Structure formats: structure tokens, C-alpha cells
């Protein structure tokens, strides 16, 4: 009779490779999700901390200094990756731009101090100084302001408000006679033609930076009939009387180096061009704007020299237009550092991220990850091998059971090493393995000592099954 076919072995637990692969897949997915979460957190933080803010900048004529400076500032803000953005809104003239600012339809504007100042305007920076030049033909000197008031005056200036400023400074009434004596000169009219047409004096209101760059006065001194620059003897009194007016000095050779005009410093009066912001603009925004303006002066200079010497706003409380608190903070170096401003938020954010990370890790461990097999579960399979060993009737059966037992042992050892099997119930596993191993050895010895009995048992089993 032939020996009975071996009893089919029960299926072993999933191969280690399959379990490890499943864990690796889940780890990979978890890593990708973690990277996405981290990127989203960083992006959200950048948006939150550097959320862009758009400021409306009201300007006058597109060819005027206000519009051209605003365009330069817009480019500089973009180049410096500032969170601030500008929306430039042109107007027919600067008076209408300031009216827009006064209606709170704009957050920024540029004004000259002789303009009608909106009550909520706060200074960010002094962009330019205008000086008042009192010129007379040839060597005819004007002795005083009283003498100047009696003369027919041509006013040369960039602002449409220049004539009103001269009349106000000279305290000339708005009578028809005064209107005839103080007139706006046509643009780019040579001084000698103005003198020839009957004007006894020319009051030119010029940008200081333009005077130093332009050679108009030097050419007129060389090729024209000449002129005299007259001092304003009551400059200090006028500055005290009119807060919009500042004391200025025309230094030696400022108008012309050869011949030197003036040949000595001359006192006069002047006006300032200010970059102003609404008072309700936040301190942080104004400080950021001031920082960009002061740290990028060279990039903000216009081709004609306007804004070539940007100065800090006057932070005194008695200034004509007081500085914006944000600009004052930057000027006085009172601005808070990044850590000072956001340290509390960062600590709170770190705590929140820690809690979120712990929750995410717990979800991964409890739900996403394939749970490791317990060593006690393998001990049950070992005992199952032991039960089947009692029915083994030949050496071949024992060899198969021995191989199965060793396979379970190797699976346990490798699993303990890579984490797919936990040490829970490891003592039970060891005891079960040693017990079954010893029983197989004893059974093997018994079959070797009684081979005939083993064959008879096989025949009996076959007969019974038949």
C-alpha cells in the first residue's frame, strides 16, 4: 500500500514582504500628505504675514512730478517684494488730486505746502524743496519786499497755485490792479523777454534739485542781458507768519558757477513737497512705506532731479503737517522687529502645530498604518503544528512539520526586526516553539525505533478510510 498523502497545511499569515510593502505604501502616502500640509501651512503663513495691501495714490497731470514719482514708487515697491501695492489715479491737476484725497478716496498724495492741506494728511517724507528766486533785470536791485510789491511781477513756477502764493506772501490784495501787477508767466518764456515786456521783477519758484542740475540760469547769465538775484530780507518773519513757508538759502554759485551767481549766500523763502498719507493708514503700513522710500532714494529720483534729496518728515508736534506715527517710528528707529511683532503669534502657532501634528500622527498610527502582528498569534500557529504532529505517521510528515515550524520562527525573527511583528506574547511564542520542537524530535526518534509500527498504523488508517 502506498502512504497516505500529506495533510494539507493551513495557510500561513501574509508574507512579510506583503505587510512591509503595505506599510511602506501608507508611509509614502502619509509623507506626501505631510509635505502638502507643511507647504499649505507655509504658504498660508506667508499670505497671512505678508498679505498685500493696495493704496490708492491720487496724482495730478500725468506729466507732472507727482504722477512720475508715483510711477517710480510703484516700481520700487514691486522690485523690493513689498506687500504694498499702488493704484495710481490721475486727475486733471493736483488740486483735484488733493480733493480726492480729502474725500478719503485715496490713501496717498503729494502736496506742496502752499496748497490747501487736507486735515487728515500725515507726512511720510519730504521729497523736494522749492526756493523763491526774486530776479531783476541787469544790475537793478530790489531793496525790500515793500519795494517789490510796487512792481509788475511775472511768476514762474510748476504749481498752478504759485501766483496765489506770491500774492499771499507779499500780502497783495485781490483787487483788479493787483491781478494786473502779479501775473503767471507763460511756460518756458525766457527771462529777458519777460523783462522786455514790462515786468520789473520775475519771481521764480524752482525745485532746488532742478536748479542744481539745469544750466538755464548760467546760460542766461552768459548770453542774455544779465540779472540780479535779490535777497528776501524778511524771510524769517515770513516763515513765522506763514507756517507753510520755510526759510531757505541760495548758496554761492547755485544758479551759475561761471559767473558765480550768487556770489555770496542769499536768504530767501521756500516751500516743501511732501508725500502724505491718510491718518487712518495703519502704523505698520506707513512704516513699511517710509522704509521703502528712505532705503531706495536713488531709484526714486526723477530725470529732472525731482526728489534727488529725500529727507525724513518733521517729527515735531508743532510741524506744519505732522509726521504719520508709522513714519515717525521708522525715523526714530522705534519700529518693532519681526520677532517683537510676531513672537506671541509664533509661540501660539508652534503650540497649535504641535497639537495638530500629534493628532495627525495618532490618526496615522491608529487608522492608516497596518498594525503589526503579535507574537502570541504566531504561538497559536505553532501549537497548531504541535497538534498535527501527533498524527504524523512517517518521517516525511515530520520533516514537513519541521519546515513549517522553522518558517514560522524565521517569520517571527525578521518581523521583530522590521516592526511587522510586536513582542506582545513573545514568551508564549518561545515556550510554544521549544515545546513543539522537542515533541517533533521525540516523535522522530520513536518512528525511527519502531518503523514497522509506523507502517501498520498507515495500513490501518488506509483501511479505515477505505
Amino acid at each position: 500500500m502506498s502512504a497516505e498523502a500529506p495533510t494539507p497545511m493551513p495557510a500561513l499569515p501574509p508574507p512579510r514582504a506583503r505587510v512591509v510593502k503595505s506599510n511602506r505604501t501608507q508611509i509614502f502616502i502619509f509623507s506626501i500628505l505631510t509635505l502638502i500640509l507643511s507647504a499649505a501651512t507655509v504658504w498660508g503663513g506667508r499670505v497671512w504675514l505678508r498679505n498685500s495691501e493696495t493704496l490708492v495714490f491720487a496724482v495730478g497731470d500725468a506729466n507732472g512730478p507727482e504722477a512720475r514719482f508715483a510711477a517710480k514708487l510703484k516700481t520700487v515697491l514691486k522690485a523690493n517684494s513689498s506687500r504694498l501695492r499702488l493704484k495710481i489715479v490721475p486727475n486733471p491737476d493736483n488740486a483735484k488730486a488733493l480733493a480726492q484725497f480729502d474725500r478719503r478716496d485715496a490713501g496717498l498724495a503729494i502736496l506742496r505746502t502752499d496748497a490747501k492741506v487736507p486735515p487728515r494728511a500725515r507726512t511720510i517724507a519730504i521729497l523736494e524743496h522749492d526756493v523763491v528766486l526774486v530776479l531783476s533785470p541787469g544790475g537793478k536791485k530790489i531793496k525790500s519786499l515793500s519795494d517789490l510789491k510796487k512792481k509788475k511781477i511775472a511768476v514762474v513756477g510748476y504749481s498752478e497755485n504759485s501766483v496765489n502764493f506770491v500774492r499771499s506772501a507779499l500780502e497783495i490784495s485781490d483787487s483788479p490792479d493787483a491781478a494786473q501787477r502779479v501775473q503767471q508767466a507763460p511756460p518756458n518764456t525766457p527771462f529777458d523777454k519777460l523783462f522786455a515786456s514790462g515786468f520789473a521783477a520775475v519771481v521764480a519758484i524752482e525745485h532746488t534739485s532742478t536748479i542744481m542740475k539745469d544750466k538755464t540760469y548760467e546760460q542766461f547769465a552768459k548770453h542774455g542781458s544779465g540779472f540780479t538775484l535779490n535777497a528776501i530780507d524778511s524771510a524769517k518773519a515770513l516763515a513765522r507768519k506763514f507756517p507753510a513757508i520755510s526759510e531757505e538759502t541760495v548758496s554761492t554759485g547755485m544758479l551759475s558757477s561761471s559767473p558765480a551767481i550768487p556770489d555770496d549766500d542769499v536768504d530767501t523763502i521756500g516751500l516743501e513737497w511732501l508725500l502724505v498719507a491718510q491718518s487712518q493708514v495703519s502704523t505698520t503700513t506707513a512704516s513699511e512705506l517710509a522704509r521703502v522710500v528712505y532705503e531706495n532714494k536713488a531709484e526714486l529720483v526723477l530725470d529732472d532731479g525731482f526728489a534727488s534729496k529725500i529727507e525724513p518728515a518733521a517729527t515735531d508736534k508743532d510741524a506744519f503737517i505732522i509726521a504719520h506715527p508709522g513714519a515717525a517710528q521708522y525715523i526714530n528707529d522705534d519700529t518693532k522687529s519681526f520677532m517683537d511683532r510676531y513672537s506671541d503669534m509664533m509661540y501660539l502657532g508652534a503650540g497649535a502645530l504641535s497639537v495638530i501634528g500629534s493628532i495627525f500622527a495618532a490618526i496615522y498610527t491608529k487608522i492608516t498604518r497596518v498594525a503589526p502582528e503579535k507574537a502570541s498569534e504566531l504561538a497559536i500557529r505553532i501549537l497548531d503544528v504541535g497538534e498535527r504532529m501527533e498524527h504524523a505517521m512517517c518521517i516525511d510528515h515530520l520533516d514537513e512539520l519541521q519546515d513549517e515550524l522553522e518558517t514560522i520562527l524565521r517569520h517571527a525573527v525578521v518581523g521583530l526586526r522590521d516592526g511587522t511583528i510586536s513582542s506582545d506574547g513573545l514568551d508564549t511564542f518561545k515556550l510554544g516553539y521549544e515545546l513543539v520542537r522537542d515533541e517533533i524530535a521525540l516523535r522522530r526518534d520513536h518512528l525511527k525505533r519502531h518503523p514497522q509500527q509506523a507502517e501498520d498504523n498507515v495500513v490501518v488508517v488506509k483501511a479505515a478510510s477505505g
Side-chain angles (χ1 to χ4, degrees), residues 209-391:
S209 55
T210 302
I211 293 174
M212 300 180 69
K213 186 176 181 180
D214 193 10
K215 299 297 182 181
T216 300
Y217 289 92
E218 187 167 324
Q219 292 174 359
F220 179 52
K222 288 181 178 180
H223 305 293
S225 57
F227 64 91
T228 298
L229 175 65
N230 301 275
I232 297 180
D233 52 357
S234 55
K236 291 183 178 180
L238 287 173
R240 287 194 299 268
K241 187 173 184 178
F242 300 100
I245 293 176
S246 58
E247 295 181 61
E248 302 288 345
T249 299
V250 182
S251 57
T252 303
M254 185 174 176
L255 302 184
S256 171
S257 57
S258 178
I261 301 176
D263 55 6
D264 197 4
D265 291 350
V266 172
D267 294 331
T268 186
I269 58 175
L271 299 165
E272 294 176 342
W273 290 78
L274 307 178
L275 173 63
V276 295
Q278 292 280 359
S279 58
Q280 72 264 25
V281 170
S282 70
T283 301
T284 302
T285 298
S287 181
E288 169 71 7
L289 182 63
R291 182 190 66 80
V292 172
V293 169
Y294 295 137
E295 294 180 5
N296 297 273
K297 295 179 182 178
E299 288 74 21
L300 294 172
V301 180
L302 302 187
D303 294 338
D304 60 2
F306 182 86
S308 60
K309 193 177 179 181
I310 297 175
E311 300 174 11
T315 57
D316 299 334
K317 293 184 178 180
D318 59 350
F320 177 56
I321 301 178
I322 63 175
H324 193 287
Q329 277 190 0
Y330 182 82
I331 294 167
N332 297 327
D333 199 24
D334 292 333
T335 53
K336 294 182 179 180
S337 66
F338 180 86
M339 288 301 297
D340 292 336
R341 186 176 301 161
Y342 298 113
S343 58
D344 293 341
M345 296 181 184
M346 289 175 66
Y347 288 132
L348 291 175
L353 287 177
S354 176
V355 172
I356 293 172
S358 299
I359 295 173
F360 206 93
I363 292 174
Y364 165 71
T365 303
K366 297 297 183 182
I367 299 176
T368 311
R369 182 178 174 87
V370 176
E373 188 177 10
K374 297 180 180 180
S376 58
E377 294 176 359
L378 293 180
I380 295 173
R381 291 174 172 82
I382 287 178
L383 294 177
D384 179 68
V385 172
E387 291 177 359
R388 288 185 283 121
M389 179 270 302
E390 295 178 357
H391 304 286

Side-chain angles (χ1 to χ4, degrees), residues 13 28-29 85 114 117 145 161 169 180 196 207 212 230 251 262 265 286 307 332 336 350 367 381 385-386 419 460:
F28 176 76
I29 295 174
R85 299 289 184 268
D114 62 324
V117 180
L145 283 183
N161 198 42
Q180 290 295 323
H207 301 326
M212 300 180 69
N230 301 275
S251 57
D265 291 350
N332 297 327
K336 294 182 179 180
I367 299 176
R381 291 174 172 82
V385 172
V460 170

Side-chain angles (χ1 to χ4, degrees), residues 65-296:
E66 307 98 332
R68 289 182 287 128
F69 179 86
K72 285 261 189 179
L73 181 57
K74 181 177 182 179
T75 302
V76 168
L77 287 170
K78 185 176 181 180
N80 282 267
S81 300
S82 173
R83 68 181 184 86
L84 301 181
R85 299 289 184 268
L86 292 187
K87 179 183 179 182
I88 301 174
V89 179
N91 290 271
D93 54 53
N94 203 44
K96 290 183 172 58
L98 291 178
Q100 180 185 3
F101 181 91
D102 193 25
R103 295 192 304 268
R104 300 188 184 184
D105 293 335
L108 296 176
I110 295 176
L111 60 82
R112 199 172 72 172
T113 48
D114 62 324
K116 181 181 178 181
V117 180
R120 289 172 296 275
R122 300 293 182 266
T123 306
I124 299 295
I126 301 172
L127 303 181
E128 183 63 78
H129 287 263
D130 279 1
V131 291
V132 176
L133 306 176
V134 180
L135 309 177
S136 55
K140 298 179 180 180
K141 191 175 182 65
I142 299 174
K143 298 178 181 178
S144 64
L145 283 183
S146 299
D147 188 20
L148 179 62
K149 291 180 184 181
K150 301 173 185 178
K151 299 182 181 297
K152 187 177 180 180
I153 303 170
V155 179
V156 178
Y158 297 98
S159 173
E160 60 273 8
N161 198 42
S162 295
V163 171
N164 292 332
F165 166 70
V166 172
R167 289 176 181 171
S168 176
L170 298 179
E171 296 182 331
I172 298 176
S173 65
D174 293 332
S175 64
D177 178 64
Q180 290 295 323
R181 285 192 292 112
V182 180
Q183 300 179 20
Q184 180 77 42
N188 302 318
T189 304
F191 295 144
D192 52 355
K193 288 187 177 182
L194 293 175
F195 292 140
S197 62
F199 289 102
V202 172
V203 175
I205 305 175
E206 300 273 16
H207 301 326
T208 304
S209 55
T210 302
I211 293 174
M212 300 180 69
K213 186 176 181 180
D214 193 10
K215 299 297 182 181
T216 300
Y217 289 92
E218 187 167 324
Q219 292 174 359
F220 179 52
K222 288 181 178 180
H223 305 293
S225 57
F227 64 91
T228 298
L229 175 65
N230 301 275
I232 297 180
D233 52 357
S234 55
K236 291 183 178 180
L238 287 173
R240 287 194 299 268
K241 187 173 184 178
F242 300 100
I245 293 176
S246 58
E247 295 181 61
E248 302 288 345
T249 299
V250 182
S251 57
T252 303
M254 185 174 176
L255 302 184
S256 171
S257 57
S258 178
I261 301 176
D263 55 6
D264 197 4
D265 291 350
V266 172
D267 294 331
T268 186
I269 58 175
L271 299 165
E272 294 176 342
W273 290 78
L274 307 178
L275 173 63
V276 295
Q278 292 280 359
S279 58
Q280 72 264 25
V281 170
S282 70
T283 301
T284 302
T285 298
S287 181
E288 169 71 7
L289 182 63
R291 182 190 66 80
V292 172
V293 169
Y294 295 137
E295 294 180 5
N296 297 273

